[in-house]
Amino acid sequence: MARKPSGMHVEDIKASLRKKWGSLAALSRHLGRNPNAVTQTLATPGYSVPIEIAIANELERNPHEVWPDRFHLDGSPVSVRVDRTPTALRGADQRANGVAA
């Protein structure tokens, strides 16, 4: 079984940010974003790469140290795009151009 990359726990990140800013919403406002932006960024990978980088800077760490599953060692973000390749084969009764006969 594969091991999960070990980064900071979300609650540790929240605690560190709250010690410095009082609330996550205060940090969001300081960054000029929606008050829920930091909370959404912590909960949703790929929600906002610039906010993830700003959070890492506030924690005085590199982004890949905080989120090894979200960033490469060089600091570039890991792509979160989903591959939407169809898995079903086209049936013989379906036309290639999608137009009825």
Side-chain angles (χ1 to χ4, degrees), residues 8-22:
M8 289 184 69
H9 194 276
V10 176
E11 294 300 324
D12 293 333
I13 296 170
K14 288 180 186 178
S16 297
L17 294 174
R18 285 183 178 135
K19 284 179 187 177
K20 188 170 184 177
W21 290 97

Side-chain angles (χ1 to χ4, degrees), residues 24-38:
L24 300 178
L27 175 57
S28 294
R29 286 189 293 272
H30 173 74
L31 296 173
R33 303 293 181 115
N34 180 328
N36 294 327
V38 170

Side-chain angles (χ1 to χ4, degrees), residues 88-99 101:
L89 298 176
R90 184 178 306 271
D93 58 336
Q94 294 177 333
R95 294 182 55 123
N97 64 1
V99 178

